[in-house]
Amino acid sequence: EQLDPLGGKAEFALVVTGEAFIHVTSDETLTARFVRFALEAISVVACRVSPKQKAELVGLVRSNAHEKVTLAIGDGANDVHMITAAHVGVGIRGVEGMQAARASDYSIGEFRLLRPLLLVHGRECYRRNTKLILYTCLLYTSPSPRDRQK
C-alpha cells in the first residue's frame, strides 16, 4: 500500500495503451497483477485501444471485482462493445453518430452533462430506490390491523 506525503492512501488514475494491454493480457500473472493495480486506481483510462480491447478491459474488472460497479462512457460506434460490457453505460450523442447512445443505458447530448447525470440524477435514483426498499420491508414485516386486534 502506497502512502501519499500527507500520510493517507495515495490516489491515482491508471492510463493504459493498446500495446501495453496486449502485453499485459498475454501472461496470466501479468494480467492478475494488472487487475489488482487497476482495482486500486480511482479511474482507468484506455487510450489507443481497439473496441474489442475496451470490452475486454471492462470484462476483466467485472469478472475480478464483483463488488465494484463499472461505468463505460463512449461517443461512437467503436465504444458500443465497451458500453454493453459495463454495468452502466453512458452514450454521448454527437458528431460520431448515435450508435453509442442507442446501445447505452443513459444517453446525454454533451460530455459536460455527465457530472449532473451522475451526481444529481444518480443520487436521486439511489435515494428513491432506498425509500422503496424500506417501504417494502415495512409493508411486509409490520403486522396487519387484523393481527393487532387478536
Side-chain angles (χ1 to χ4, degrees):
E1 186 172 310
Q2 190 116 20
L3 298 178
D4 71 4
L6 300 176
K9 189 173 179 184
E11 291 185 348
F12 63 94
L14 176 63
V15 179
V16 62
T17 63
E19 283 186 41
F21 191 71
I22 289 171
H23 180 69
V24 165
T25 55
S26 65
D27 180 28
E28 285 185 30
T29 308
L30 280 177
T31 303
R33 291 175 83 183
F34 172 77
V35 169
R36 270 198 324 271
F37 191 65
L39 292 176
E40 292 296 320
I42 58 173
S43 179
V44 178
V45 178
C47 60
R48 302 283 184 215
V49 294
S50 70
K52 183 182 175 194
Q53 287 175 321
K54 292 177 186 181
E56 284 178 30
L57 182 59
V58 172
L60 273 174
V61 173
R62 280 192 72 165
S63 63
N64 289 289
H66 303 290
E67 72 281 357
K68 303 276 186 182
V69 176
T70 56
L71 168 68
I73 305 163
D75 64 348
N78 61 334
D79 297 321
V80 170
H81 293 297
M82 173 185 65
I83 289 171
T84 56
H87 288 104
V88 180
V90 176
I92 302 172
R93 295 185 302 266
V95 179
E96 292 191 37
M98 293 286 293
Q99 292 90 341
R102 286 189 192 119
S104 64
D105 300 310
Y106 299 95
S107 176
I108 56 177
E110 297 175 346
F111 191 78
R112 69 179 178 84
L113 299 174
L114 185 62
R115 175 177 271 172
L117 174 69
L118 295 176
L119 299 181
V120 176
H121 300 291
R123 181 184 178 282
E124 276 301 301
C125 181
Y126 182 77
R127 193 180 63 76
R128 280 189 230 117
N129 284 339
T130 303
K131 282 186 175 181
L132 175 68
I133 290 168
L134 288 173
Y135 175 75
T136 305
C137 289
L138 287 174
L139 181 68
Y140 288 111
T141 58
S142 63
S144 70
R146 283 184 263 156
D147 293 337
R148 287 187 216 150
Q149 292 174 356
K150 292 181 182 178

